[in-house]
DNA sequence: GTCTATATACAGATAGAC
DNA sequence: GTCTATCTGTATATAGAC
Protein backbone atom coordinates (compact mmCIF):
# COMPACT_ATOMS: atom_id res chain seq x y z
CA UNK A 1 0.00 0.00 0.00
CA UNK A 2 2.52 2.59 1.19
CA UNK A 3 1.54 6.19 1.47
CA UNK A 4 -0.98 8.23 -0.42
CA UNK A 5 -0.65 11.76 -1.68
CA UNK A 6 -3.63 14.01 -2.05
CA UNK A 7 -1.88 16.32 -4.48
CA UNK A 8 -3.84 15.92 -7.70
CA UNK A 9 -1.70 18.37 -9.57
CA UNK A 10 2.04 18.06 -9.09
CA UNK A 11 4.00 20.65 -7.25
CA UNK A 12 7.49 20.33 -8.58
CA UNK A 13 9.04 20.77 -5.17
CA UNK A 14 9.25 17.30 -3.65
CA UNK A 15 11.65 14.47 -4.17
CA UNK A 16 8.80 12.20 -5.19
CA UNK A 17 7.85 14.53 -8.01
CA UNK A 18 11.43 14.83 -9.15
CA UNK A 19 11.59 11.06 -9.39
CA UNK A 20 8.31 10.93 -11.28
CA UNK A 21 9.35 13.60 -13.75
CA UNK A 22 12.68 11.91 -14.35
CA UNK A 23 11.01 8.53 -14.80
CA UNK A 24 8.49 9.94 -17.26
CA UNK A 25 11.26 11.35 -19.38
CA UNK A 26 13.35 8.20 -19.28
CA UNK A 27 10.43 5.88 -20.04
CA UNK A 28 9.52 8.10 -22.95
CA UNK A 29 13.06 8.28 -24.27
CA UNK A 30 14.14 4.68 -23.81
CA UNK A 31 11.03 2.65 -23.19
CA UNK A 32 10.02 0.53 -20.24
CA UNK A 33 12.61 -2.21 -20.64
CA UNK A 34 15.58 0.04 -21.21
CA UNK A 35 14.90 2.21 -18.21
CA UNK A 36 16.31 0.78 -14.99
CA UNK A 37 15.42 1.90 -11.52
CA UNK A 38 19.09 2.54 -10.94
CA UNK A 39 19.10 4.96 -13.86
CA UNK A 40 15.98 6.73 -12.63
CA UNK A 41 17.56 7.05 -9.22
CA UNK A 42 20.86 8.27 -10.59
CA UNK A 43 19.32 11.00 -12.76
CA UNK A 44 16.92 12.05 -10.03
CA UNK A 45 19.84 12.11 -7.59
CA UNK A 46 18.40 9.54 -5.22
CA UNK A 47 19.04 5.88 -4.56
CA UNK A 48 17.04 3.27 -6.40
CA UNK A 49 15.78 2.06 -3.06
CA UNK A 50 14.08 5.40 -2.58
CA UNK A 51 12.45 5.15 -5.97
CA UNK A 52 10.91 1.88 -4.88
CA UNK A 53 9.97 3.25 -1.49
CA UNK A 54 7.88 5.91 -3.21
CA UNK A 55 6.36 3.79 -5.95
CA UNK A 56 6.48 0.21 -4.63
CA UNK A 57 7.42 -1.39 -7.94
CA UNK A 58 8.66 -0.52 -11.39
CA UNK A 59 5.26 -1.31 -12.85
CA UNK A 60 3.53 1.16 -10.55
CA UNK A 61 6.12 3.80 -11.30
CA UNK A 62 5.39 3.26 -14.94
CA UNK A 63 1.66 3.70 -14.46
CA UNK A 64 2.22 6.91 -12.52
CA UNK A 65 4.44 8.21 -15.31
CA UNK A 66 1.82 7.32 -17.87
CA UNK A 67 -0.76 9.32 -15.96
CA UNK A 68 1.39 12.42 -16.36
CA UNK A 69 1.88 11.55 -20.02
CA UNK A 70 -1.77 11.21 -20.96
CA UNK A 71 -3.05 14.11 -18.91
CA UNK A 72 -2.45 16.96 -21.40
CA UNK A 73 -4.43 15.31 -24.17
CA UNK A 74 -7.59 17.21 -23.58
CA UNK A 75 -9.78 18.66 -26.30
CA UNK A 76 -11.91 21.68 -25.61
CA UNK A 77 -15.11 20.82 -27.42
CA UNK A 78 -16.88 24.07 -26.66
CA UNK A 79 -14.12 25.87 -28.46
CA UNK A 80 -15.27 24.22 -31.70
CA UNK A 81 -18.99 24.89 -31.56
CA UNK A 82 -18.75 28.36 -33.08
CA UNK A 83 -17.07 27.26 -36.30
CA UNK A 84 -18.54 25.77 -39.45
CA UNK A 85 -17.92 22.09 -40.10
CA UNK A 86 -14.98 22.29 -42.50
CA UNK A 87 -13.15 24.61 -40.15
CA UNK A 88 -13.92 22.27 -37.26
CA UNK A 89 -12.27 19.45 -39.16
CA UNK A 90 -9.19 21.55 -39.78
CA UNK A 91 -9.11 22.57 -36.15
CA UNK A 92 -9.30 18.97 -34.94
CA UNK A 93 -6.48 17.94 -37.24
CA UNK A 94 -4.40 20.82 -35.96
CA UNK A 95 -5.16 19.90 -32.35
CA UNK A 96 -4.03 16.34 -32.95
CA UNK A 97 -0.77 17.43 -34.44
CA UNK A 98 -0.17 20.09 -31.84
CA UNK A 99 -0.47 17.44 -29.19
CA UNK A 100 1.98 15.24 -31.02
CA UNK A 101 4.49 18.03 -31.50
CA UNK A 102 4.36 19.03 -27.87
CA UNK A 103 4.60 15.48 -26.59
CA UNK A 104 7.00 13.80 -28.97
CA UNK A 105 8.59 11.64 -26.34
CA UNK A 106 5.31 10.56 -24.85
CA UNK A 107 3.82 9.77 -28.23
CA UNK A 108 6.85 7.72 -29.12
CA UNK A 109 6.34 5.97 -25.85
CA UNK A 110 2.71 5.19 -26.58
CA UNK A 111 3.61 3.97 -30.03
CA UNK A 112 6.10 1.52 -28.60
CA UNK A 113 3.40 0.26 -26.27
CA UNK A 114 1.04 -0.27 -29.15
CA UNK A 115 3.72 -2.01 -31.18
CA UNK A 116 4.35 -4.79 -28.77
CA UNK A 117 0.86 -5.84 -27.76
CA UNK A 118 2.41 -6.81 -24.49
CA UNK A 119 1.01 -8.55 -21.54
CA UNK A 120 1.56 -6.74 -18.23
CA UNK A 121 0.40 -3.15 -18.67
CA UNK A 122 -2.57 -4.12 -20.82
CA UNK A 123 -4.77 -1.51 -19.23
CA UNK A 124 -2.52 1.11 -20.80
CA UNK A 125 -3.42 0.15 -24.34
CA UNK A 126 -7.03 0.50 -23.31
CA UNK A 127 -6.54 4.10 -22.24
CA UNK A 128 -4.75 5.03 -25.43
CA UNK A 129 -7.41 3.24 -27.40
CA UNK A 130 -10.06 5.24 -25.56
CA UNK A 131 -8.24 8.47 -26.37
CA UNK A 132 -8.30 7.59 -30.04
CA UNK A 133 -11.92 6.57 -29.76
CA UNK A 134 -12.88 9.95 -28.37
CA UNK A 135 -11.00 11.80 -31.06
CA UNK A 136 -12.43 9.67 -33.84
CA UNK A 137 -15.94 10.12 -32.46
CA UNK A 138 -15.46 13.88 -32.39
CA UNK A 139 -14.49 13.88 -36.05
CA UNK A 140 -17.36 11.59 -36.87
CA UNK A 141 -19.88 13.85 -35.19
CA UNK A 142 -18.61 16.88 -37.06
CA UNK A 143 -18.85 15.06 -40.38
CA UNK A 144 -22.31 13.84 -39.49
CA UNK A 145 -23.49 17.33 -38.66
CA UNK A 146 -21.96 18.63 -41.85
CA UNK A 147 -23.86 16.07 -43.86
CA UNK A 148 -27.18 16.90 -42.22
CA UNK A 149 -26.61 20.63 -42.59
CA UNK A 150 -25.99 20.10 -46.30
CA UNK A 151 -22.52 21.56 -46.20
CA UNK A 152 -21.05 18.11 -46.83
CA UNK A 153 -21.99 15.70 -49.58
CA UNK A 154 -24.87 13.36 -48.80
CA UNK A 155 -22.86 10.24 -49.66
CA UNK A 156 -20.08 10.74 -47.11
CA UNK A 157 -19.70 7.91 -44.62
CA UNK A 158 -18.95 9.64 -41.31
CA UNK A 159 -17.45 6.65 -39.47
CA UNK A 160 -15.25 5.69 -42.38
CA UNK A 161 -14.17 9.19 -43.27
CA UNK A 162 -13.35 9.88 -39.64
CA UNK A 163 -11.37 6.66 -39.36
CA UNK A 164 -9.46 7.47 -42.52
CA UNK A 165 -8.46 10.91 -41.30
CA UNK A 166 -7.26 9.48 -38.00
CA UNK A 167 -5.36 6.79 -39.86
CA UNK A 168 -3.65 9.36 -42.05
CA UNK A 169 -2.67 11.35 -38.98
CA UNK A 170 -1.21 8.26 -37.36
CA UNK A 171 0.67 7.42 -40.51
CA UNK A 172 2.17 10.88 -40.80
CA UNK A 173 3.30 10.46 -37.22
CA UNK A 174 5.03 7.19 -38.03
CA UNK A 175 6.83 8.56 -41.02
CA UNK A 176 7.99 11.35 -38.81
CA UNK A 177 9.47 8.82 -36.40
CA UNK A 178 11.04 6.89 -39.22
CA UNK A 179 13.44 9.79 -39.45
CA UNK A 180 11.68 11.12 -42.50
CA UNK A 181 14.38 11.51 -45.02
CA UNK A 182 11.40 11.82 -47.31
CA UNK A 183 11.30 15.30 -48.66
CA UNK A 184 8.26 16.70 -46.89
CA UNK A 185 8.10 18.06 -43.45
CA UNK A 186 5.05 16.83 -41.58
CA UNK A 187 3.27 20.17 -41.57
CA UNK A 188 3.20 20.20 -45.36
CA UNK A 189 1.59 16.77 -45.35
CA UNK A 190 -0.86 17.87 -42.68
CA UNK A 191 -1.86 20.83 -44.79
CA UNK A 192 -2.34 18.57 -47.77
CA UNK A 193 -4.39 16.15 -45.69
CA UNK A 194 -6.69 18.95 -44.59
CA UNK A 195 -7.13 20.12 -48.14
CA UNK A 196 -7.89 16.72 -49.62
CA UNK A 197 -10.10 15.63 -46.75
CA UNK A 198 -12.25 18.71 -46.99
CA UNK A 199 -12.30 18.63 -50.78
CA UNK A 200 -13.69 15.16 -50.52
CA UNK A 201 -16.29 15.94 -47.87
CA UNK A 202 -17.63 19.21 -49.12
CA UNK A 203 -20.74 19.38 -51.26
CA UNK B 1 34.62 -14.84 -37.04
CA UNK B 2 33.37 -18.40 -36.70
CA UNK B 3 32.14 -20.25 -39.70
CA UNK B 4 30.50 -19.10 -42.87
CA UNK B 5 27.70 -20.70 -44.79
CA UNK B 6 27.35 -20.32 -48.52
CA UNK B 7 23.66 -21.22 -48.49
CA UNK B 8 21.98 -18.07 -49.73
CA UNK B 9 18.54 -19.65 -49.55
CA UNK B 10 17.78 -21.64 -46.44
CA UNK B 11 17.38 -25.35 -46.60
CA UNK B 12 15.21 -26.25 -43.66
CA UNK B 13 17.22 -29.35 -42.87
CA UNK B 14 20.02 -28.25 -40.56
CA UNK B 15 20.07 -27.41 -36.91
CA UNK B 16 21.32 -23.95 -37.67
CA UNK B 17 18.27 -23.23 -39.79
CA UNK B 18 15.98 -24.62 -37.16
CA UNK B 19 17.50 -22.21 -34.66
CA UNK B 20 17.17 -19.31 -37.08
CA UNK B 21 13.54 -20.05 -37.87
CA UNK B 22 12.71 -20.38 -34.20
CA UNK B 23 14.52 -17.15 -33.38
CA UNK B 24 12.73 -15.28 -36.14
CA UNK B 25 9.38 -16.34 -34.80
CA UNK B 26 10.23 -15.51 -31.21
CA UNK B 27 11.75 -12.12 -32.01
CA UNK B 28 8.66 -11.29 -34.02
CA UNK B 29 6.27 -12.45 -31.31
CA UNK B 30 7.98 -11.04 -28.25
CA UNK B 31 10.53 -8.54 -29.47
CA UNK B 32 14.27 -8.44 -29.01
CA UNK B 33 14.35 -7.83 -25.28
CA UNK B 34 11.79 -10.44 -24.32
CA UNK B 35 13.41 -13.20 -26.29
CA UNK B 36 16.20 -14.94 -24.42
CA UNK B 37 18.77 -17.24 -25.93
CA UNK B 38 17.63 -19.87 -23.47
CA UNK B 39 14.13 -19.66 -24.88
CA UNK B 40 15.38 -19.88 -28.45
CA UNK B 41 17.45 -22.90 -27.51
CA UNK B 42 14.58 -24.55 -25.66
CA UNK B 43 12.08 -24.17 -28.49
CA UNK B 44 14.61 -25.21 -31.10
CA UNK B 45 15.55 -28.19 -28.92
CA UNK B 46 19.17 -27.27 -28.54
CA UNK B 47 21.22 -25.74 -25.77
CA UNK B 48 21.62 -22.00 -25.63
CA UNK B 49 25.35 -22.52 -25.96
CA UNK B 50 24.78 -23.98 -29.39
CA UNK B 51 22.73 -20.99 -30.41
CA UNK B 52 25.71 -18.80 -29.62
CA UNK B 53 28.12 -21.16 -31.28
CA UNK B 54 26.23 -20.72 -34.53
CA UNK B 55 25.54 -17.00 -34.32
CA UNK B 56 28.28 -15.61 -32.05
CA UNK B 57 26.02 -13.17 -30.23
CA UNK B 58 22.40 -12.31 -29.69
CA UNK B 59 22.78 -9.20 -31.81
CA UNK B 60 24.05 -11.19 -34.77
CA UNK B 61 21.29 -13.73 -34.36
CA UNK B 62 18.84 -10.86 -34.47
CA UNK B 63 20.31 -9.48 -37.68
CA UNK B 64 20.14 -12.89 -39.28
CA UNK B 65 16.50 -13.22 -38.25
CA UNK B 66 15.73 -9.78 -39.63
CA UNK B 67 17.14 -10.80 -42.96
CA UNK B 68 14.58 -13.58 -43.14
CA UNK B 69 11.88 -11.18 -42.03
CA UNK B 70 12.47 -8.51 -44.63
CA UNK B 71 13.09 -10.90 -47.50
CA UNK B 72 9.46 -11.53 -48.54
CA UNK B 73 8.73 -7.85 -49.02
CA UNK B 74 9.26 -7.86 -52.72
CA UNK B 75 7.04 -6.12 -55.20
CA UNK B 76 6.83 -7.43 -58.73
CA UNK B 77 6.85 -4.23 -60.73
CA UNK B 78 6.49 -5.92 -64.11
CA UNK B 79 3.24 -7.35 -62.88
CA UNK B 80 1.80 -3.82 -62.77
CA UNK B 81 2.83 -2.51 -66.16
CA UNK B 82 -0.17 -3.97 -67.98
CA UNK B 83 -2.78 -2.17 -65.88
CA UNK B 84 -4.09 1.36 -66.12
CA UNK B 85 -3.02 3.81 -63.45
CA UNK B 86 -6.04 3.68 -61.13
CA UNK B 87 -5.89 -0.10 -61.08
CA UNK B 88 -2.16 0.06 -60.39
CA UNK B 89 -2.86 2.20 -57.34
CA UNK B 90 -5.41 -0.27 -56.08
CA UNK B 91 -3.01 -3.11 -56.71
CA UNK B 92 -0.21 -1.42 -54.79
CA UNK B 93 -2.50 -0.78 -51.84
CA UNK B 94 -3.57 -4.40 -51.88
CA UNK B 95 0.03 -5.57 -52.06
CA UNK B 96 0.91 -3.50 -49.03
CA UNK B 97 -1.90 -4.90 -47.00
CA UNK B 98 -1.31 -8.45 -48.15
CA UNK B 99 2.23 -8.16 -46.92
CA UNK B 100 1.00 -6.87 -43.59
CA UNK B 101 -1.59 -9.61 -43.19
CA UNK B 102 0.92 -12.33 -43.99
CA UNK B 103 3.62 -10.92 -41.74
CA UNK B 104 1.71 -9.58 -38.77
CA UNK B 105 4.34 -10.54 -36.26
CA UNK B 106 7.19 -9.17 -38.32
CA UNK B 107 5.36 -5.93 -38.96
CA UNK B 108 4.61 -5.55 -35.29
CA UNK B 109 8.29 -6.13 -34.72
CA UNK B 110 9.30 -3.44 -37.19
CA UNK B 111 6.82 -1.03 -35.67
CA UNK B 112 8.35 -1.51 -32.25
CA UNK B 113 11.76 -0.81 -33.73
CA UNK B 114 10.48 2.41 -35.26
CA UNK B 115 8.78 3.44 -32.05
CA UNK B 116 11.85 3.48 -29.92
CA UNK B 117 14.36 5.24 -32.12
CA UNK B 118 16.93 3.03 -30.51
CA UNK B 119 20.62 3.01 -30.65
CA UNK B 120 22.20 -0.38 -31.28
CA UNK B 121 20.47 -1.84 -34.34
CA UNK B 122 20.23 1.54 -36.02
CA UNK B 123 20.96 0.06 -39.39
CA UNK B 124 17.66 -1.75 -39.14
CA UNK B 125 15.60 1.42 -39.19
CA UNK B 126 17.46 2.37 -42.30
CA UNK B 127 16.40 -0.80 -44.07
CA UNK B 128 12.77 -0.38 -43.11
CA UNK B 129 12.94 3.24 -44.13
CA UNK B 130 14.32 2.17 -47.50
CA UNK B 131 11.49 -0.29 -47.90
CA UNK B 132 8.99 2.48 -47.36
CA UNK B 133 10.90 4.75 -49.67
CA UNK B 134 10.70 2.22 -52.48
CA UNK B 135 6.99 1.70 -51.98
CA UNK B 136 6.28 5.42 -51.84
CA UNK B 137 8.34 6.03 -54.95
CA UNK B 138 6.39 3.33 -56.76
CA UNK B 139 3.12 5.04 -55.91
CA UNK B 140 4.53 8.39 -56.84
CA UNK B 141 5.63 7.15 -60.26
CA UNK B 142 2.22 5.70 -60.96
CA UNK B 143 0.51 8.93 -60.03
CA UNK B 144 2.97 10.89 -62.11
CA UNK B 145 2.33 8.72 -65.15
CA UNK B 146 -1.41 9.04 -64.62
CA UNK B 147 -1.12 12.78 -64.60
CA UNK B 148 0.89 12.89 -67.78
CA UNK B 149 -1.42 10.46 -69.52
CA UNK B 150 -4.36 12.67 -68.64
CA UNK B 151 -6.15 9.99 -66.69
CA UNK B 152 -5.46 11.87 -63.46
CA UNK B 153 -6.19 15.49 -62.73
CA UNK B 154 -3.45 17.92 -63.70
CA UNK B 155 -3.31 19.47 -60.22
CA UNK B 156 -2.41 16.30 -58.31
CA UNK B 157 0.85 16.45 -56.38
CA UNK B 158 2.43 13.03 -56.89
CA UNK B 159 4.86 13.13 -53.95
CA UNK B 160 2.24 14.39 -51.54
CA UNK B 161 -0.55 12.14 -52.72
CA UNK B 162 1.77 9.15 -52.54
CA UNK B 163 2.91 10.10 -49.05
CA UNK B 164 -0.67 10.52 -47.92
CA UNK B 165 -1.69 7.10 -49.17
CA UNK B 166 1.27 5.49 -47.45
CA UNK B 167 0.44 7.39 -44.28
CA UNK B 168 -3.16 6.20 -44.36
CA UNK B 169 -1.99 2.62 -44.83
CA UNK B 170 0.35 2.93 -41.88
CA UNK B 171 -2.40 4.40 -39.78
CA UNK B 172 -4.83 1.61 -40.60
CA UNK B 173 -2.13 -0.78 -39.56
CA UNK B 174 -1.75 0.96 -36.21
CA UNK B 175 -5.44 0.98 -35.49
CA UNK B 176 -5.40 -2.69 -36.26
CA UNK B 177 -2.71 -3.21 -33.64
CA UNK B 178 -4.57 -1.06 -31.18
CA UNK B 179 -7.01 -3.91 -30.94
CA UNK B 180 -9.54 -2.10 -33.07
CA UNK B 181 -12.68 -2.18 -31.08
CA UNK B 182 -13.71 0.39 -33.63
CA UNK B 183 -16.45 -1.05 -35.72
CA UNK B 184 -14.66 -1.50 -39.03
CA UNK B 185 -12.45 -4.32 -40.04
CA UNK B 186 -9.34 -3.12 -41.79
CA UNK B 187 -10.37 -4.43 -45.20
CA UNK B 188 -13.41 -2.15 -45.20
CA UNK B 189 -11.19 0.82 -44.45
CA UNK B 190 -8.74 -0.27 -47.13
CA UNK B 191 -11.56 -0.43 -49.64
CA UNK B 192 -12.68 3.03 -48.62
CA UNK B 193 -9.15 4.35 -48.90
CA UNK B 194 -8.86 3.01 -52.43
CA UNK B 195 -12.16 4.56 -53.39
CA UNK B 196 -11.45 8.00 -51.96
CA UNK B 197 -7.84 8.09 -53.16
CA UNK B 198 -8.82 7.30 -56.70
CA UNK B 199 -11.82 9.61 -56.62
CA UNK B 200 -9.47 12.37 -55.71
CA UNK B 201 -6.84 11.55 -58.32
CA UNK B 202 -8.99 10.84 -61.30
CA UNK B 203 -9.76 13.51 -63.88
C1' DG C 1 28.44 -29.84 -33.50
C1' DT C 2 26.56 -30.38 -29.34
C1' DC C 3 26.50 -30.66 -24.63
C1' DT C 4 27.06 -29.30 -19.22
C1' DA C 5 28.92 -26.27 -16.14
C1' DT C 6 30.24 -21.87 -15.00
C1' DA C 7 31.70 -16.91 -15.18
C1' DT C 8 30.07 -12.38 -15.05
C1' DA C 9 26.92 -8.72 -14.99
C1' DC C 10 22.92 -6.42 -13.86
C1' DA C 11 18.05 -6.30 -13.11
C1' DG C 12 14.15 -5.59 -9.45
C1' DA C 13 13.29 -5.88 -4.85
C1' DT C 14 14.12 -6.19 0.46
C1' DA C 15 16.31 -5.30 5.20
C1' DG C 16 17.56 -2.41 8.30
C1' DA C 17 20.44 1.64 10.04
C1' DC C 18 19.97 6.53 10.49
C1' DG D 1 12.51 9.87 3.85
C1' DT D 2 16.74 8.47 2.60
C1' DC D 3 20.56 5.75 2.63
C1' DT D 4 23.91 1.30 2.14
C1' DA D 5 24.18 -3.42 1.76
C1' DT D 6 22.35 -7.50 0.18
C1' DC D 7 19.20 -11.12 -1.70
C1' DT D 8 17.57 -13.48 -5.71
C1' DG D 9 16.66 -14.25 -10.25
C1' DT D 10 17.96 -14.28 -14.94
C1' DA D 11 20.51 -12.58 -18.85
C1' DT D 12 24.59 -13.11 -22.21
C1' DA D 13 28.56 -15.29 -22.93
C1' DT D 14 32.65 -18.61 -22.21
C1' DA D 15 35.28 -23.07 -21.09
C1' DG D 16 36.00 -27.33 -21.93
C1' DA D 17 34.47 -32.40 -22.19
C1' DC D 18 32.61 -35.53 -25.65
Amino acid sequence: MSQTRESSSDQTGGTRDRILITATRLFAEHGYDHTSLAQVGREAHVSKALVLWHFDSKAKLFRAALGRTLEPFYIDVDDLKELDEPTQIERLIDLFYEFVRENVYSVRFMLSLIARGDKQPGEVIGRISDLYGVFRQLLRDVIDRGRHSGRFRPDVRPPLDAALIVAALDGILIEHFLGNQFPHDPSELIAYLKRTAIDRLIA
Side-chain angles (χ1 to χ4, degrees), chain A:
Chain A
M1 282 294 132
S2 92
Q3 86 293 7
T4 322
R5 288 296 189 88
E6 69 273 41
S7 67
S8 62
S9 212
D10 40 15
Q11 301 294 86
T12 42
T15 302
R16 186 182 184 279
D17 290 321
R18 198 172 67 249
I19 294 171
L20 186 52
I21 289 168
T22 305
T24 305
R25 177 174 55 80
L26 289 175
F27 280 138
E29 282 177 10
H30 307 123
Y32 184 83
D33 296 316
H34 291 96
T35 302
S36 73
L37 296 177
Q39 190 183 8
V40 172
R42 198 182 320 123
E43 302 204 15
H45 305 106
V46 297
S47 68
K48 63 177 177 178
L50 188 60
V51 176
L52 280 170
W53 186 88
H54 277 292
F55 294 95
D56 284 349
S57 71
K58 188 182 180 181
K60 287 186 185 172
L61 173 61
F62 172 78
R63 286 192 197 91
L66 191 80
R68 278 180 49 84
T69 292
L70 260 37
E71 219 169 327
F73 195 30
Y74 169 73
I75 295 177
D76 189 356
V77 190
D78 295 329
D79 196 39
L80 293 172
K81 290 234 166 86
E82 317 268 314
L83 312 165
D84 65 356
E85 287 85 6
T87 315
Q88 283 184 46
I89 302 261
E90 293 198 338
R91 184 90 190 93
L92 281 172
I93 291 176
D94 283 334
L95 281 172
F96 182 97
Y97 212 68
E98 269 170 35
F99 173 75
V100 171
R101 259 195 301 111
E102 287 164 13
N103 298 274
V104 192
Y105 287 133
S106 306
V107 170
R108 189 185 279 280
F109 183 21
M110 294 185 216
L111 187 60
S112 76
L113 288 176
I114 294 170
R116 78 179 94 96
D118 243 8
K119 53 231 158 244
Q120 291 124 341
E123 138 219 31
V124 172
I125 304 287
R127 287 187 60 182
I128 299 175
S129 191
D130 287 349
L131 238 45
Y132 269 100
V134 168
F135 185 73
R136 195 183 300 111
Q137 186 65 42
L138 236 45
L139 268 175
R140 178 182 162 164
D141 290 343
V142 173
I143 297 174
D144 216 26
R145 277 198 301 276
R147 192 182 50 163
H148 283 104
S149 78
R151 230 182 301 258
F152 288 163
R153 301 162 38 157
D155 68 331
V156 296
R157 303 269 300 275
L160 286 172
D161 280 297
L164 216 48
I165 290 174
V166 176
L169 283 168
D170 279 340
I172 292 173
L173 185 155
I174 287 198
E175 310 218 12
H176 180 248
F177 282 149
L178 251 178
N180 57 329
Q181 56 213 44
F182 77 124
H184 314 288
D185 74 314
S187 62
E188 190 183 358
L189 253 186
I190 291 285
Y192 200 67
L193 167 64
K194 288 198 283 199
R195 193 185 121 191
T196 57
I198 290 177
D199 271 2
R200 142 146 193 82
L201 292 171
I202 220 153

